[in-house]
Amino acid sequence: MNALIKSATVVDSKSDFHNETVDILIEKGRIAKISKRISNPNNYREIKLDNLHVSQGWFDSSVSFGEPGFEERETIDNGLKTASKSGFTAVALNANSFPVIDSYADISFVKSKASNHATQLLPIGALTKESKGIDLAELYDMSNAGAVAFYDYQKPISNPNLAKIAMQYAGNFNGLICSFPQENKITGTGVVNEHVNSTKLGLKGNPNLAEDLQVARDLFLLEYTEGKLHIPTISTAKSVDLIRQAKAKKLDVSCSVAIHNLIYTDDVLSDFDTNFKVLPPLRTKNDCNALIEGLKDGTIDMVTADHNPIDIEDKKVEFDYAKYGTIGLESSFGALQTIFTTKKAIGLLTQGKSRFGVDENTINVGNDAELTLFNPDVNYQFSVSNILSKSKNSAFIGQDLKGMAYGIVANKKIVLL
């Protein structure tokens, strides 16, 4: 793949050309030259776009597509096309399919389905067989097949001894254990944040305590096992404090936060819009502020769309019975820029790579071309027309956003909107 990117402003603090507006010559999928002006004698494809900016490829650590088993929600093929056009050069795929991705063969299957796409798919294997929380899955075999982590998507590990054994066992091959931060015995049948709004709306509450207890437990187990732990999608101020303390102890822990938990509070639930039914639930302004501060000081390692397509039959029902989840790949960048600067937003979309074994290809001559192309200054209201996913369950419909991806150059391919 050969191409010439014209007049692009580089946003990459590790690049020699950070903040410069340059031309980028790509030959055979690698960056061959970066300069103020590059001629095109070989008649390569030229990429010229309005207010073009370019960064390292973006990464999302928690994406669901549905296939195999729930293709009506999303397929791997269309999911990866959506990721590409949304600016993501790599995504980690959750195991919440049917059958659950819990074996060498399952990991090999999803990797084969993704083999010809520009966006790299990184499979996350289930932590337990069929994600039932009883017996460990084939962690080592899945690791050999290419699994980058192990996680029963949005299902807590209720047995602390199982969590302990998982951390100890995975430590033998540097495996990353993910533990969903919720204590189900505290949550009960709660569907929204337990606070004033849950009482007003007559909906059962899921208290902060349910998350805080599980995070504290997992951090104690991590300290005991000296393992490697990732806590996905935290949502409470106390979780941020607990993880900050754990990092001060030099424990090998990372965590993420879903972008919708930064943007919205449970105040948006007044209309019972099931697109806002997510897990963990939307919480209070105090929690949002603590999460944002955690991102600023490095306590929280990465953001995620926690992209979870749900078909209309499972969303257009009473709030209590609707499935949890929102899509978010298409809105990630524009939503983040309503809170952070462009530089910070790009940092948040790229800094989780190393934790999941993704190469960081800086924008320098000789490196593989793994680039996201975007316009950081366009303002628009997100609508159904902006959704590329098969399912349309977006919490961001009607939200004013700033910034939009044009697409990516990666894996010797070019994918643009």
Side-chain angles (χ1 to χ4, degrees):
M1 183 272 292
N2 303 313
L4 179 59
I5 300 173
K6 300 292 290 184
S7 299
T9 300
V10 175
V11 183
D12 180 2
S13 59
K14 296 180 180 179
S15 169
D16 298 334
F17 301 91
H18 180 50
N19 286 335
E20 294 185 25
T21 301
V22 295
D23 292 353
I24 302 174
L25 178 65
I26 300 168
E27 293 183 323
K28 297 180 180 179
R30 299 179 74 87
I31 299 174
K33 186 177 181 180
I34 302 176
S35 184
K36 288 292 185 183
R37 188 180 298 274
I38 300 175
S39 60
N40 191 7
N42 295 318
N43 199 30
Y44 292 159
R45 176 179 177 178
E46 288 195 7
I47 300 175
K48 296 180 179 179
L49 298 165
D50 183 49
N51 192 33
L52 178 58
H53 285 59
V54 62
S55 71
Q56 288 186 43
W58 302 345
F59 166 68
D60 195 304
S61 61
S62 181
V63 169
S64 302
F65 290 149
E67 187 178 6
F70 300 118
E71 287 84 358
E72 73 279 6
R73 300 178 185 174
E74 187 59 283
T75 63
I76 290 174
D77 178 67
N78 190 68
L80 288 175
K81 289 177 181 176
T82 298
S84 297
K85 293 178 180 179
S86 302
F88 292 88
T89 59
V91 295
L93 179 69
N94 291 309
N96 62 326
S97 55
F98 184 77
V100 169
I101 302 168
D102 65 0
S103 69
Y104 186 105
D106 295 332
I107 297 293
S108 299
F109 168 78
V110 295
K111 288 191 70 175
S112 69
K113 294 285 288 188
S115 59
N116 293 317
H117 285 270
T119 297
Q120 181 184 8
L121 184 146
L122 304 159
I124 297 174
L127 181 65
T128 63
K129 292 180 180 178
E130 300 180 18
S131 289
K132 290 183 176 179
I134 300 172
D135 299 307
L136 286 184
E138 302 169 4
L139 306 189
Y140 182 65
D141 282 352
M142 287 192 287
S143 178
N144 287 337
V148 296
F150 308 100
Y151 177 33
D152 292 341
Y153 181 67
Q154 291 190 344
K155 294 180 179 178
I157 310 170
S158 60
N159 181 347
N161 192 52
L162 187 66
K164 174 182 74 73
I165 292 170
M167 291 182 206
Q168 290 173 324
Y169 177 61
N172 292 307
F173 53 92
N174 199 33
L176 179 62
I177 300 299
C178 303
S179 179
F180 185 64
Q182 180 170 290
E183 169 49 74
N184 278 346
K185 290 183 178 65
I186 298 291
T187 299
T189 56
V191 293
V192 298
N193 182 51
E194 184 180 272
H195 201 246
V196 174
N197 285 319
S198 63
T199 303
K200 286 181 179 178
L201 298 172
L203 295 171
K204 293 181 179 179
N206 177 344
N208 285 30
L209 178 65
E211 177 171 313
D212 302 340
L213 277 177
Q214 192 81 349
V215 169
R217 184 206 76 172
D218 287 343
L219 291 173
F220 273 116
L221 291 172
L222 178 65
E223 187 171 14
Y224 177 81
T225 62
E226 298 181 350
K228 184 177 180 180
L229 177 66
H230 178 70
I231 304 175
T233 59
I234 65 171
S235 67
T236 71
K238 184 64 175 177
S239 289
V240 178
D241 288 339
L242 289 168
I243 294 168
R244 185 179 288 120
Q245 294 167 26
K247 288 191 170 188
K249 295 180 181 179
K250 307 299 183 185
L251 300 186
D252 192 354
V253 60
S254 59
C255 64
S256 67
V257 59
I259 295 170
H260 47 262
N261 283 102
L262 300 171
I263 301 291
Y264 296 114
T265 70
D266 58 359
D267 290 335
V268 301
L269 298 173
S270 58
D271 292 331
F272 296 92
D273 184 344
T274 58
N275 283 332
F276 293 115
K277 186 178 180 181
V278 291
L279 195 66
L282 303 176
R283 301 209 186 265
T284 67
K285 189 63 177 177
N286 179 63
D287 292 305
C288 287
N289 290 338
L291 293 166
I292 291 169
E293 186 59 35
L295 286 169
K296 289 179 178 178
D297 70 16
T299 299
I300 303 176
D301 301 88
M302 63 198 81
V303 296
T304 173
D306 202 22
H307 182 84
N308 189 7
I310 303 295
D311 56 277
I312 191 169
E313 288 82 2
D314 287 316
K315 277 295 188 180
K316 292 292 184 180
V317 293
E318 291 180 45
F319 198 94
D320 275 330
Y321 301 112
K323 288 189 180 297
Y324 293 102
T326 177
I327 58 173
L329 287 173
E330 301 96 320
S331 53
S332 291
F333 178 57
L336 281 175
Q337 280 213 134
T338 65
I339 304 174
F340 301 106
T341 64
T342 298
K343 180 181 178 182
K344 182 63 175 178
I346 297 302
L348 294 175
L349 289 167
T350 56
Q351 66 191 30
K353 289 181 174 182
S354 60
R355 187 63 167 173
F356 286 81
V358 184
D359 293 334
E360 291 188 27
N361 287 303
T362 59
I363 304 177
N364 285 308
V365 174
N367 289 347
D368 288 341
E370 185 189 311
L371 311 171
T372 296
L373 284 58
F374 60 96
N375 181 345
D377 298 323
V378 58
N379 293 287
Y380 63 103
Q381 187 176 85
F382 191 80
S383 69
V384 174
S385 64
N386 298 114
I387 296 175
L388 305 171
S389 305
K390 286 182 68 176
S391 296
K392 310 302 178 185
N393 58 305
S394 172
F396 290 93
I397 294 173
Q399 178 77 26
D400 291 329
L401 304 183
K402 180 183 180 183
M404 183 181 292
Y406 285 124
I408 63 172
V409 177
N411 198 23
K412 298 183 179 180
K413 294 177 175 63
I414 300 170
V415 179
L416 299 175
L417 277 173

